[in-house]
Structures are given as structure tokens and as C-alpha cells.
Amino acid sequence: MKTNDVILQTATKVVLFLIVLFSVYIFFAGHYTPGGGFVGGLLTSGAIILLLLAFDMKTVEKILPVNYMYMIAAGLLFAIGTGAGALLFNVPFLTHAFTDVDLPILGHLSLHTAALFDLGVFLVVVGVTMIIIKTIGEDD
Amino acid sequence: MINFLILPILIPLVTGVLLIFAAKHIMLQRLIAGLSALITVIVSVLLVKKVNNDGIQTLNLSNWDAPFGITLVSDMLSALLVLTTSIIALACVIYSFRGIDEDREKFYFYAAVNFLIVGVNGAFTTGDIFNLFVFFEVMLMSSYVLIVIGGTKIQLRESIKYLLVNVISSALFVIAVAYLYSVVGTLNMAHISVRINEISELGQPGIITVIAVLFLIVFGLKGAIFPLFFWLPGSYYAPPAPVLALFGALLTKVGVYSIARTYTLFFYQDGGLIQQLLTILAVISIILGIIGAIAYWDIKKIVIYNIIVAVGVILFGISAMTQDSLIGAIFYLIHDMNVKAALFLLVGIMAAITGTSDLRKISGLIKRYPGLGWTFFLAALSLAGIPPLSGFVGKLLIIKGGFESEHYWGAGIVLMSSLLVLFSIMKIFINGFWGTSRDYEGADKVSVKRMMAAPVILVAIAVFYGVGSEFVYPYISQAAETLANPGIYIDAVLKEY
Amino acid sequence: MSLLHLAIISPFLLAILVPIAYKLFRQIHTGWFVLPLPILLFSYFISYLSITSDQQSVTKSFSWIPALGIDFAAKVDGLGLLFALLISGIGSLVVLYSIYYLDKNKEQLNTFYVYLLLFMGAMLGVVLSDNLIVLYTFWEFTSFSSFLLIGYWYHREKSRYGAQKSMIITVFGGLSMLGGIILLYLMTGTFSISEIIAGSDEIFSHSLFVPALLCFLIGAFTKSAQFPFHIWLPDAMEAPTPVSAYLHSATMVKAGIYLVARMSPVFAEHSLWLWLIAGFGITTLFWGSFSAVKQTDLKAILAFSTVSQLGMIMSLLGIGAAALHFETVDDSYFTVATTAAVFHLINHATFKGSLFMVAGIVDHETGTRDIRKLGGLMNFMPITFTLAVIGTFSMAGLPPFNGFLSKEMFFTGMVRVLEMDIFNLDTWGFLFPVLAWVASVFTFIYSMILVFKTFTGKFQPEQLEKKPHEAPIGMLISPIILASLVIIIGFFPNIIANTLISPAQAAIMPVEGYVYDTHIYFWHGFTPELFMTLGVITLGILLFVTLPKWRRVYDFLPEKLALNRFYDSGLSGIQHVAHKFTKWYMNGSIRNYLVYIFTFFIITLLSVLFLKGAFKFDASNVSAIRFSEIVLALVIAIGAITIMFVKSRLTSIILLGAVGYTVALFFVLFRAPDLALTQLVIETISVALFLLCFYHLPQIKDEERMPFKATNAVISIGVGLVITLIAFSAHSNKLFDSISQYYIDNTYEKAAGKNMVNVILVDFRGFDTMFEITVLAIAALGIFGMIKLRLGGGKKNENK
Amino acid sequence: MEILISVIVGILFMSATYLMLSKSLLRIIIGTAILSHGAHLLILTMGGLKRGAAPLLGESASSYSDPLPQALILTAIVIAFGVTAFFLVLAYRAYQELGTDNMDKLRGNEGND
């Protein structure tokens, strides 16, 4: 899927940036408005796929030198770890904690372990989607 | 530690993830997988002890009170099944060190095994009907991976069938949960029971019965009862021995467990219709299973069809619904998981030595492999329920319960099924181990002694389980008591409800 | 655990040590390590005689599974002890004999003695257990140890066949007996034989009584090779001869006799019991003796002889049971039959044991057991010949041997059947003495064949593999001891009358406060029995001499016994039919499987839906429909229906996408923004995947035939219908409020979120989510492995 | 509305069943995809449709639609996605290895005689 279309590539970069931005927003907003780890992760991988379509596999690998299998494992560890943290405090597994903090510059923030959990979800979703696309893509 | 009961799920889960990182290092993988399986066994033993001492263990995940969050429940039944699963997992992992090719090991074999155990232990432990679905999916997805890994022709072909049937059953599971949710508005299993109980004073509403039958179909597809078992013999034929052992020992039993759980917890007030249906299906499963078992001259097929027989026997015990028959069913369930795993591993060794699973091409193995032969002999007798080995007490109680509930024909068929089970399995012994010994190509490459470790452990357990029934009995009867009195389960989960 | 228990399990313990001894001392025949045990056991059991002679018993109990009422209760009474003595006594002789019979350099002695010890222990367990489950356990043990013994020369086809046959038939009987045990338990609430006997009056009229009785009889008949289950016994002769001597003279086959005797106090009140036992026994007696005459293999003659003799003992037990039925134990009118049964049991063990050993010696020294090749051996093996004469004459019922005495008593018992007035026995009862007499004639004939065809007549050295000579003395000791017993008991029967026979009788027919006193007379005067014996001898001699002339009678019968053929063809037929049948419905076609599954789905659900009156249609609780929704519904319906008929793969995938996107739009309409978002993205990726994977696949061909399509259509419509109908009913049956209100109330307060769906996903039901991503991760592992690992060796199919 | 959607779900199941009974692997997989669409719609319907605002707090609604079924569906969708992806790749590999996508030719009879 090699293509040298400069316009497409430039456009892709712009769109990619937008999508990633959007997906990050979606990811963080998830607790309050529609979104969350899934959608965020899917959108991000959508962006990477777009990158794949615009450039070739090698280029993308150069830009994003990620072992997606490890990414999946790391995501899972994140999610499990968030839950397993509860084991240390002898509260039920996956018990979340949250607190509101006021930071000087960022202002009012809600720190929530659920967000860490959702990050795990995000990583797994990106990793899985990429693994699927990549392995099939490489096989062709 | 209140989180104790989640450990048999969590340990394999973390192990599975770690094994992804260790994919390229086979020795490291074996080390991690073996150690973790061993730890899981120890933890499960402790869990059984804890349940025995302190009663049913529950864990409200994320600290939300039942029925709003997901609750894990370890009653004795679940704890025992978790223990059995862990032991079988350990045996299969040990066996795999020698019994599976390195290529498969590199491609996440151990990780998939661990995830499978996550799913199975989770299904045994969860107290939430939708969460049960999720664990089913974990288990199934791992089984898809295990059945197809290696990518040989037969594996690919049978995987398609296996996948298709299970996709359908999953979809049916989802709609069954949807219907149930529509009627009772909750997902926590204890809470469902309470609510169904509330409306069943004047008899269980028809819609609940319909949903019950739908659940029976869903779990029956997993548990391989008549007429939902067609997929099983072909699919189980495809994967290598340790995978087959895991499947044969665990997967169908999860279906059986789910039937036992839901039918004793939710759907017990139906006034006989479903029970009758269950009895009939169980008996037909036994008959067709036996017919299949005596039909073939293929060692794998013979044992595979015996899975269906066992499922029928256990379900018959559950459907008879007397205290004896429930105890017997649980006795038999655990026995069968253990001894099926042993048999599949032994059959795997036979196939590894001879390079075939066609009994007509095998003979005289006992001359060179007496240990294998006698281990097999014991396992075969266990399977047929010959006292004092492990199958006996369970079968005795099931038959007793069957007679008590006046299912004379059914109980008689269960009784006589032992004969044909014995015939089918001794056919392997008589023809495969006896007879003139032959030379097999490549037999020298097989390290039989090392592969024997796992089945020997399992058969030793079978012997102990039978001879030492007295030690096991209190646990099993405690497990059956929860089934017979759903109130115990409900009180444990919904403490203040 | 008492010494008695230790005695019972000592053979098992020794069995563990045997292989070690075999390995360590290869030069010493392993039998020498085994021999002391049965001798020790025999002397140990002798010490119990003082107790049982007073017709008392000892019980020692040991908890095994008390939770289920299963205790290892060992009870020694007259009956049990008699058998225990036979088992250990004959056991000692057999082991001694085997030491000379089996070559230590050629045979696998370790396995042989392990099997033999297992068998010995199992038999002791059977006869000394007072708990039915324990008895059953040992019972099955005897089945399997004899299976192993019969299959000892496992490379022989016939050994395997015989082993399998005996296993199938005896295990069948064992299971049936287990059924009977469970039925008895349901009636009495105990597995203890003593307790059951004590309470047997109360269960007599129970509806399960007769089924239990039948179950026990099947167990006993199979084990004791009663017609028509006797077919396994001749094939069991494939075992080494010491084994045959052991199993078929004194032990295995007598377990069935033991069972009948043991359970008589429970069941004998019912006339069915005595009628069936006596009837089957006499039939077996006749058939066995009749068949024995035509055999040409020494061991085959002995095998059928055993069948016949067992039938005789069995029928005697049946008639003796009449004493219990009529409650006339004390007048010895019918009890004489029981006395005869016990007496003959002992006698049979002695003469049959020695005859098997004689046959073994002949086989061992000449290399054949075929009487057509044998003859004239008298001069070469005089001692063996003498032993054979003693054994066969006793078997034929000739004085002064012990067989004569019990045969006389047997006739007495048979004649007395005429006096019974149950089951039309007053009319048909005469058959018993007649059959008994005819069978005795045949018994006489085959006994004569056995001894005279082998030892007299023409010597044919060219037919023999070896040059015959007398057996070594070691091999002769055991049969000599047995033959001496034949004579001693023949002359002094009363040695055992009140030490062994009466105590056994007291156990078979216990009557409170009644003490049996047996006295055996040599001379009864000119009774009908005596004339019957004379008749047997006269006609027997006549027929034996003229045997070649009437032997053709047997040619009219099919070459192979019909029953045997029934077993063989039955077994292979079952397997054949099973194979055909299973292959027919398990044909590997997933479509067929799905048709079965869906049909079951439709039929059961529909019938339950209407049988239970569950169908309900309540439109009052539904929300309004807007126009846009109708449009969407139409789109999705048309999409779903069109896709069924589309042939192009691209169109199919596009239509699938259309359906998916419409679902997403529904989610929007139904206030599920998260779902809509997710569905949209996932649908996009899925469609991309579909396109990617199916780029290489061929076009869909329309190759389905019309009937197929019709079935498919019917089933699909059925499935859709069922789903919809249940949906109506479930929706119309909303019986409770959902627990969801809790989430609505607490999402912000307790979980600090505003998007309820997301909060449920990561918090309330975060556990689900954790495993849902696990599923995804596993899928990724699988996909990766599937593409990268190809053990099948298949290459990419580039050109298709 | 629930009635209409129930009918739609029925149609989806019908179509899915029909497709799964056909011989072409592609159609079968499409069938399973439609099957899960049907199941997901059914969950939503069974939770009750349109009883209030979207389950997002802060829209000052008096009532909200049931959030629980939505969460369940989300889980189910993701799982179904994983399964479908797996199935697709399996079909792709099976076609490569076995050279056909016709289920009739994929019966197999190992150990069947």
C-alpha cells in the first residue's frame, strides 16, 4: 500500500493530529460525557490506520516504534494493577479512589483511579486493533 | 484478607500477561507457568479451607454493595471446582513441557492456557449472571486460540465449527440475560433468586420457565448435552493432547456447573417440567454418548464420547434433585474432571509413542511401557466407577438419588452405562496395551517418563479421592447443601438485604 | 483395624512386594515368596473353627466411609469361614503347583503372582465382608483380577477374547448386584448384611423387593456361570492351568454360590427366589453336562463340568431355600438340599481342583490337551492316572469317594421337590429329579471320557509335542493332597459335618435358637436315590461304550453354541450399528448440526412458551413510535432481508455495514450516546476487516438446492419468531423495577462521575470491563498466532 | 416502539440464522455479525426504550434512560468485535490452507471409521 500522494500525506498528518487530539479528549472526558477508554482507543487506532494507509508500514513503524503486543500486556497490567492496588489496603478488588485537588496552574482537577483503569483499556484497545491490522496487513 | 477468593482468577491472569512479555523465552515461560500454576493450587487449597472454616466467601468488587456491583461468591462448590481446575491446569502445564511442540509454546500457548483458567475459575466464582457471560467469553476466546494454535488443516477446519457454535451460544446467552433482566430487573444471581422467589408464591410464572429453557440451551451447548453436543467430537479431535485434556476436563463442566447453579438457584420452583426435560436430555446424552464411545476404534474418539456420557450422568444427578443425587453429582463432577484429564493425557502419550490414534494400529504397548499401561488401567477403572476408585461414590449416590426420586429407568441406565463405558475404555487396554508388541517409528524420541508425571499425579488423586471418600465427603456435602438450600447462598451474598 | 482385616488385605500388601522380590531375586522362583502367605492365612482361619463350630460368628468393624454407611465390617461365620478356608487352602496348593508349572525363566512371574494375590485378597474380601458395598468392591476386584489372569498371555488373541468376555459378563452382573444393593438400602436404610437380615421380614412386601431380588440373582448367576451366562467360563480356560484350578474349582465361580447362600435369609421368603435358583440351577446342570460330553479339550470338558456342577449346587440352594419359604427349617425335609449344597461345594473344590491340576500336568508333560491326540498315558504317568481316577470317579458320583455322598444327597433333595406346591411345582416338579438324573448320566459319561480317553487306549506318540513322562514330584504334591481329601471325606464325611457344614448351614438359614446337627450316612438303605445312582452307572457305562455311535447327536446342534454366537455377533453387531449410527448423525457437516440445534431451540421454546401460558402481549407499557424510527426500522429490515439473497461479497459486506450503522443510529435515538459512538467506530473497523480478509475469497456461489433453502427458511423464520415472541412476553412481564436507579442516584455522589454508562463500565462493573479487554487481548494473541504459526505446512494460496 | 424493535430483532435473528445455515464461510460470518447486532438491540429493548434523558448527569433531567443495559451492550459489542475479528482471520487462514470456503467441503472425517 505504498503511495506517494503528497496531498494525502499532508492531509493525513493534519487529520491524524486532530483525531489523536479528539481521541485524547474523548478518553479523558469519558467519565463525564460520552467517551472513555474504548472509544478513545478505537479512534486513536483509527488514526494510526489512516497513517498506515497514507504511508507504508515501515514508515509508520519508524514514527511509532511500538511493540503492540507489549502494549496490550502493559494495558492489561495497568487495568489489573489499578484493581490490585486495592489488595494493599485490604479493600475489595477494583475499589476506586478519587479526590479533588486544586493545582496552581491547572485549576480544579479530579484525580480518579478509574482514569488509570481506563488508560489500561485504552492501551489494550489500541494494541489489539493494531495487532489485527498489522498481522493481516503484513501477511498480504 | 477479603480479596482472597479472587486470587485463583487473578494469579493466572497476571501470569498470562507476564507470559506475553516472555513469549520468546521458552524456559522462562515454562518456569513462570509452572510456578504460577503451583501457587494457584496452593491458594485454591487454602480457599477451600477458608470456605470450610468461615462459610461462604463473598467479595463485592469495587466495594459496591450487592446487588449493584459485581459480587464474587465462593461457596464450597465453587471453591472445590476452582481447586480441581487448578490441579488440572498444573498437570496440563507440566505435561506440556514435553508434550507440545516448541513452536506452539512460542506462540502464546501458556498465556492462552492461563487465560483459559482465568475464564474457568471466574465462571465458577462469579455471582453475577452477566459477569458469567464475560468469563464464558474469556474462556471461549482462550479455547479458540488453543484449538487453532498451530494452524494445521484439521485445526483450522474444526475451529470454524467450534467457533460458529459458540458464537451462537454466546448470542443466545446475551439474549437470555436480556430477557431475564427485563423480567426481574437485576443481574446479581442471589438477587435474581430472591426476586423470582417473591413472584413464585403462586407458582413460577411461565416466562421464567421459558427463560430457564433458554438458559438450558445456552449452557447445554457449552456442556454438550443432547441434542446440542454435535459440535464436540469433531472439535475436540483437532487440538494436541494437553489442550484436549483441558477442554475435555474443564469446558463442558463449566456448562454443567452453570446448569447446576442456575437450576438450583433460580429455576427450582417450576413444578417439574424443566426437571423432566433435563432428566430426559441427560438420559439420552448418556445413551448417545455410549453409542459413540463403543462405535470407534480411535483412542481419542473413545474418550471424547465418554465426555458426553459423563455430562449426562452428572445432569441426571442434578435433575433428580434429591440430596443424595446432588452430592453424587458433585462427587462425580469433580471425579470426572480429574480422570478425564488423566485419560486424555495418557491417550496423548500413546499417540505420541505410536504416531497414530487408530487403535487398530496400536498393540502390545504394555511390554515396553508397563507404567503407562497400569496408569491407564487404573484411570479406566476410575472412569467406569469401579470401587474403590474415584467414580464409584458419585455414581452410587446418583443412582440412589435416581431410585429415590423414582426415576428407575434413568437410574438403571446410569448404572448400566458403567458397563459400556468400561467396555469402550478397556477396548483400548485390551487392544492397545495387550497383544503383540510392535516397533514404532519415532517412539524413542518421546520422553514417556517425563510425560507420565502429570497423569500419574491425576490418577493418584483419583485413587485417593475414591478410597478417601470419607475425607472428601464433608466438603462435597457442604457444597451440595448450598445447592439444595439456595437460602444459604442468598444470605451470604445479600447480607443486609 | 483388626488382625482379621489385616488378614484380608495381606494379599494386597504382599502383591506390592512381589515385583520387588522378583527384581531382587531372579534366581528364586517368585512363587516361593508367595507361598507362605496362603498357608499362614489357612492356619489363621483354622483358629476360627472353634467359634464357628458353635454356630457363632465374630464381627470386626473398621470405618471406611461412615458418612455413607460404608464400614469395612469383617464377619466370620460358618459360611464365610468355609469359603475362607477353601480360598486360602486351595490357594496354597495352587501356588505350590504353579511353582513347578510356570517356568521362572520364560514367564512374567511378577505380574502373575500380583494378579493371583489380588484375586486371593478379593475373594477373601467377598466372603468375609458384612457390608454390601465392601462386598461389591471386592466382587469387582475379583472380576478384574480374573480378567488379568485370563489375559495373562495377552499376546494370544484367545486370551484377550476370553478376558474381555469374562469381564463384560461378570461386571454386568456386578453392576446389577449394585443396583440390588442400592434397592435394599432404600428399603432398609443400611448396607450391613446382618442388619438387613435382621429386618428382612419388614421389606418382604415392599414394591422394590422383587426387583432387588432379581438384581442379586443376575449378579450371582453371571459370576457362577449359570445358564445362559455360562458362556464366559469355557473361554476363561485360556488362563494358565493353575489359575483355572483356582478360579474354577473353589473361588471365583463360587462367589455367586456364596452370594445366593448369603442372601438367602433375606430373599428366600419369596417363592420367586427358590423357584428361579432351582430352575436356573437345574438347567445349567443339564446343559453343562450335556455340552461337556462333546468337548475334546481336557480343560474344556472340565470347564463345562464346572458349569454343570455349579448348576447343581445352585439348584440345591434353591430347593433348600424352600425350608425358609415354608418356615420348616427344623424338620430337615428341605434343608437336606442345603446340606447337600454345602457338602458338594467342598467336594467339588477337592476333586475339581485336583482334576484341573491333572489336566495341567498332562498338558505340561505332553504339550497337548486334546483327547483325540492323547491316550495310553497310564503307563507313563501312573500317579497322575491314579489321581485322575480318584477325581473323576468322585465327580461321577461313585463310591467310596466324597462325590458319591453328596450326589446321593442331591438326589434326595431333587426328589423332595415333588412335595412343593408353589408355582405349579406339584405338576412340573417331576422335571427336577428327571433332569437331575439325566444330567448325572452325562456327568458320568464325561468323567469317564476324561480319564479313559487320556490314560487308556492307544498311545499316539507322533501326535504329542513332547515325550511324556511322570510329572516332577513338586507338581504332584498339590493334586495328591486334594485327592487324599476326596478319599478321606468319602470315608469319614462326618469330620466336616459339624465343623464346616452345619455352621455354614446356620449362616444360610439362620433360625433363632436352632442349632443344626448334620450327620452324613454312607448307607441309607434301598432308597430311590440308590437306584437312581445305579441307573446312572448302568446307563452311563452303556452310553460311554457306545459313544462313537450316538455322538452324531451333537452334530445336529450348531457347531458353535448358539449362545456364544449370540454374544459374538451381538457384540460386534452393537459396535457396528453404533458406528453406522454415530457416523450417520455425526457427519461433520456444521449445517446439519445447526439444523438439529435450532430445531430443538424452536420446538422446546415454542412449546414451553405455550404450554406454560407464558406468551403475553401487553402494548400498554411501550413508548411511542416516531416516523424517523419507522424509517430506520425499515432500513434495517430491508438490509437484513436483502443480505440473505445477495450473491456478491462486496454487496453483502456493504449491507452488513448498513445494518450496523443503522443500529448505531438507533442507539442515538434511544439516548445511548456512548453506544452510538462505539458502534460507529467499531462498525467502521469491522467493515474494513471484512474487506481486508475477504479480498481473496471467491464470490458466493448459489449452490444450495431448493429443499435445503426451504429448510433453512423455515428454521430461520422459526428462530426469528421465537426470539420476537419471547421478547414480547418478557417485555410484558416486567415484574420488578430495575436496579438501575441506584446508579442514577449514586454516580456522582459515590463514584464522582457524570457519565453513568462510563462509570458503570469502569467502576460499578469495572470487573466486566477488565475481562472484556482480556478477551480482546486473547483474540489478538490468537490472530497473531494464526497468521504467523503454520505447522500445517500450508503455503499462501496466491493464485486463488 | 419496543414491539417494533422486537420485530426488528426477530428479523435480524432470522436473517442471521439463514446466513449461518449457508455453505459459504463469508455468509456465515456475516450471519454471526448480524446475530450480535440483534442481540445488542434486544438488550436495549429489554431495558425499556426512551424513558428519559441520556444517562449523563448534569442535563438536569427528571429521569434518565436505563444506563445498565447500555453498559452491558458496550461490553458485548467489544467482545463481539474481538470474536468477529478472530473469526475473520480464521476464515482467511482456513481458505489459505484448505483452499475452499465451502462448509460442505470442510466436513472432515479424522478418526471417524
Side-chain angles (χ1 to χ4, degrees), chain A residues 30-31 33 35 38 96 112 138, chain C residues 674 751 754-755 758 762 772 788:
Chain A
H31 223 51
T33 54
F38 281 125
H96 287 302
H112 205 304
E138 279 170 0
Chain C
D674 283 272
K754 285 182 179 167
N755 179 354
N758 187 267
V762 298
E772 156 203 344
K788 303 278 178 189

Side-chain angles (χ1 to χ4, degrees), chain C residues 36-106:
Chain C
L37 183 74
I39 296 176
L40 207 65
L41 285 173
F42 185 75
S43 22
Y44 171 71
F45 287 123
I46 287 279
S47 72
Y48 277 92
L49 272 179
S50 58
I51 300 168
T52 57
S53 294
D54 299 335
Q55 306 185 10
Q56 301 295 315
S57 64
V58 193
T59 309
K60 296 265 165 62
S61 204
F62 167 69
S63 293
W64 179 23
I65 319 177
L68 299 173
I70 302 173
D71 291 311
F72 189 174
K75 181 177 180 182
V76 184
D77 63 357
L79 184 65
L81 186 69
L82 169 63
F83 275 91
L85 287 172
L86 283 177
I87 293 159
S88 52
I90 307 262
S92 312
L93 299 177
V94 163
V95 172
L96 178 65
Y97 177 76
S98 70
I99 291 173
Y100 293 92
Y101 190 87
L102 293 172
D103 190 329
K104 69 169 183 279
N105 298 318
K106 286 184 195 155

Side-chain angles (χ1 to χ4, degrees), chain C residues 579 623 629 640 644 646 649 671 679 683 694 697 703 716 724 734 740 754 756 772 786 790 794 797, chain D residues 1-2 10 14-15 26-27 37 46 50 55 57 66 70 75 78 88 93 95-97 102 112:
Chain C
H579 185 225
S623 45
E629 288 160 354
M644 293 159 66
V646 164
R649 59 173 190 233
R671 311 282 192 268
Q679 175 76 18
E683 199 56 39
F694 275 87
L697 283 192
E703 52 197 6
S716 343
T724 306
K734 278 194 179 299
S740 300
K754 285 182 179 167
M756 290 174 223
E772 156 203 344
M786 246 191 302
R790 294 158 185 230
N797 236 330
Chain D
M1 193 64 230
E2 280 86 349
M14 177 190 74
S15 166
L26 174 62
R27 282 164 74 97
H37 287 322
M46 288 295 106
K50 287 195 297 190
L57 289 171
D66 191 343
Q70 297 191 13
T75 306
V78 176
L88 275 170
R93 279 287 291 126
Y95 182 64
Q96 274 190 345
E97 198 83 22
N102 183 338
N112 221 354

